[in-house]
């Protein structure tokens, strides 16, 4: 049974002071997106008008009133990648912090608070699954860039996809900044486009409902 279907901008999917967090269950495959998908997502968002549609996610509300959790049945690739894109924007805005006027200083705070959630065990809005060190890598890249205070260090972090995705977004952002005199204005423009991109969130009652919906969405047209 489908409980809710709604199209939201990213700044409602991943939002400041959220009262919920996203959890990728252990049975999900590891993070698999690579350069083709990272570049396509970035280019689609930045080269199209505000409100560009970037897909859907399917969730089950599996938490309680104290610690609301949305178990992500479909959409972990998008959610993880969007978080890393926001982190790359946070990093570059931090690098240019002295150039940000007072009216826009809260943009940094917004990203940090959108990516964190104290009710989650890693202190973040997203708890990836453990395969391929995804969970540890995600926490570590957030810690290295000032979003959380502590993360367990893991070997070969920089060689795996979470770290490579973050670096790729830094590179893509730098390519755009190289063409601009006002770096901060360009960074805020990109951040606003990311926040206004649209994603459909579907909440269902059970795993069986989620899998039926997942199969129907992925087999459409067959």
């Amino acid at each position: 049974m489908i409980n809710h279907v709604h199209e939201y901008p990213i700044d409602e999917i991943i939002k400041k002071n959220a009262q919920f967090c996203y959890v990728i269950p252990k049975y999900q495959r590891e993070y698999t997106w690579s350069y083709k998908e990272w570049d396509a997502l970035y280019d689609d968002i930045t080269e199209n008008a505000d409100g560009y549609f970037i897909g859907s996610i399917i969730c089950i509300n599996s938490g309680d009133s104290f610690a609301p959790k949305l178990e992500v049945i479909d959409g972990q690739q998008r959610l993880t990648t969007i978080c890393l894109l926001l982190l790359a924007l946070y990093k570059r805005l931090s690098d240019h912090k002295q150039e940000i006027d007072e009216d826009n200083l809260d943009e940094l705070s917004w990203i940090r608070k959108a990516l964190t959630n104290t009710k989650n065990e890693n202190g973040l809005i997203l708890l990836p699954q453990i395969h391929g060190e995804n969970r540890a890598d995600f926490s570590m890249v957030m810690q290295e860039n000032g979003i959380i205070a502590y993360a367990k260090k893991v070997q070969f972090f920089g060689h795996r996809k979470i770290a490579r995705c973050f670096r790729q977004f830094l590179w893509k952002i730098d390519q755009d900044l190289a063409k601009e005199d006002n770096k901060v204005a360009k960074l805020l423009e990109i951040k606003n486009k990311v926040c206004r991109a649209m994603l459909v969130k579907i909440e269902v009652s059970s795993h069986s409902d989620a899998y039926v919906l997942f199969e129907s969405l992925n087999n459409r047209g067959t």
Side-chain angles (χ1 to χ4, degrees):
M1 178 180 180
I2 297 176
N3 294 335
H4 303 286
V5 179
H6 201 286
E7 187 177 38
Y8 294 100
I10 291 302
D11 60 6
E12 284 294 315
I13 297 289
I14 302 171
K15 64 181 182 177
K16 175 181 175 182
N17 300 324
Q19 298 302 305
F20 59 86
C21 60
Y22 296 102
V23 177
I24 311 299
K26 293 179 181 179
Y27 57 78
Q28 291 275 10
R29 63 177 178 167
E30 64 187 84
Y31 183 68
T32 60
W33 273 17
S34 195
Y35 293 96
K36 177 182 176 182
E37 291 84 7
W38 303 333
D39 289 352
L41 180 71
Y42 182 89
D43 293 342
D44 285 346
I45 291 174
T46 58
E47 294 175 3
N48 285 285
D50 289 356
Y52 185 80
F53 176 68
I54 59 171
S56 62
I57 59 173
I58 303 173
C59 305
I60 301 170
N61 193 331
S62 61
D64 53 36
S65 57
F66 177 73
K69 294 181 180 179
L70 291 174
E71 186 176 337
V72 180
I73 304 302
D74 184 42
Q76 71 143 320
Q77 308 291 328
R78 285 184 181 84
L79 281 177
T80 305
T81 306
I82 290 164
C83 286
L84 293 170
L85 175 51
L86 285 170
L87 179 64
L89 287 164
Y90 180 85
K91 167 62 175 168
R92 284 297 177 254
L93 280 166
S94 297
D95 292 342
H96 293 274
K97 187 175 181 178
Q98 299 305 317
E99 303 162 42
I100 302 176
D101 61 43
E102 289 186 8
D103 292 339
N104 290 313
L105 271 176
D106 62 346
E107 297 287 350
L108 274 170
S109 175
W110 183 92
I111 298 176
R112 187 177 65 256
K113 290 180 179 180
L115 291 173
T116 54
N117 187 305
T118 56
K119 295 182 178 181
N120 206 349
E121 66 183 67
N122 65 348
L124 296 166
I125 189 66
L126 176 68
L127 184 66
Q129 41 76 285
I130 60 175
H131 301 300
E133 300 285 8
N134 288 169
R135 185 175 300 180
D137 289 351
F138 188 77
S139 294
M140 191 165 172
V141 75
M142 293 291 171
Q143 184 271 328
E144 285 192 341
N145 291 282
I147 301 298
I148 55 176
Y150 172 79
K152 180 181 177 181
K153 293 190 179 296
V154 286
Q155 289 187 321
F156 311 116
F157 154 75
H159 298 289
R160 291 189 291 271
K161 286 193 172 181
I162 297 289
R164 285 160 51 199
C165 176
F166 172 69
R167 291 197 302 268
Q168 181 66 6
F169 283 140
L170 287 180
W171 182 82
K172 294 286 287 185
I173 292 167
D174 288 344
Q175 296 300 300
D176 284 341
L177 292 183
K179 310 167 190 174
E180 305 291 332
D181 293 326
N182 190 330
K183 311 296 186 188
V184 170
K186 184 62 178 180
L187 285 165
L188 293 176
E189 176 190 326
I190 298 169
K191 183 259 182 186
N192 288 335
K193 277 185 169 288
V194 173
C195 288
R196 292 169 187 163
M198 303 300 292
L199 200 152
V200 170
K201 182 165 75 172
I202 306 168
E203 290 188 38
V204 296
S205 302
S206 66
H207 288 84
S208 59
D209 292 336
Y211 294 133
V212 168
L213 180 59
F214 175 79
E215 289 299 323
S216 66
L217 288 173
N218 284 277
N219 288 321
R220 62 188 182 276
T222 302

